[in-house]
Amino acid sequence: MSKMTVEVVTPERVIFSGEANLVIARGVQGELGIMPNHMPLVTPLKIAPVRIKTEGGKEVVMAVSGGFMEVRGDKVTILAETAETPEDIDVARAKSAKERAEKRLSEKHPDLDVRRAERALQRALTRLQISTK
């Protein structure tokens, strides 16, 4: 089976670098499945899990908070604002962040930055989703 090189990079560090058979990410237009020899593309990413299928059917899952994915030849590069593996996630902190964001959104203060609260909620939900993997 053919492979491609995949790198997931944040401003702080390289989260993943290796060979893969499939990358599944959520772009602004919807879910994307990238396999070796995919057509070139660059797309912004949403706050969502990214799944990387490696040799032997293993899967690497991480919570990605925005950024971009570039596909060129047999290389996929994800430049993420943040990316966390399940081991990196503090579940209690993510639950607390979820509750704070839901509370902010339900109170509807006139000076509330709704977009910021919605992004915080989505980040917390994504972290909680992959922490159970």
Side-chain angles (χ1 to χ4, degrees), residues 61-126:
V61 181
M62 60 191 69
V64 172
S65 295
F68 292 88
M69 178 170 62
E70 177 185 34
V71 180
R72 284 182 21 158
D74 278 338
K75 182 167 185 180
V76 176
T77 305
I78 294 176
L79 302 171
E81 293 172 24
T82 65
E84 300 167 285
T85 62
E87 302 81 39
D88 295 334
I89 294 172
D90 180 340
V91 175
R93 185 172 171 236
K95 285 180 181 177
S96 176
K98 175 184 173 279
E99 290 166 5
R100 276 193 315 273
E102 288 173 336
K103 183 178 178 190
R104 276 190 212 116
L105 288 167
S106 69
E107 290 175 349
K108 300 188 192 262
H109 287 286
D111 59 340
L112 174 69
D113 185 343
V114 174
R115 178 146 165 75
R116 182 176 176 198
E118 288 172 345
R119 288 179 51 87
L121 178 59
Q122 188 59 46
R123 279 191 304 273
L125 291 171
T126 300

Side-chain angles (χ1 to χ4, degrees), residues 1-65:
M1 181 175 258
S2 59
K3 297 178 265 185
M4 59 191 165
T5 302
V6 178
E7 285 190 338
V8 179
V9 182
T10 69
E12 289 82 34
R13 64 187 175 118
V14 175
I15 304 296
F16 177 88
S17 181
E19 300 288 314
N21 303 320
L22 176 66
V23 175
I24 300 169
R26 189 169 305 143
V28 294
Q29 298 294 319
E31 195 102 334
L32 297 161
I34 308 296
M35 298 176 74
N37 302 313
H38 193 281
M39 65 180 259
L41 72 90
V42 175
T43 186
L45 296 175
K46 292 196 135 210
I47 298 170
V50 168
R51 299 189 334 253
I52 302 168
K53 305 261 184 168
T54 62
E55 285 292 311
K58 293 183 181 178
E59 183 176 76
V60 176
V61 181
M62 60 191 69
V64 172
S65 295

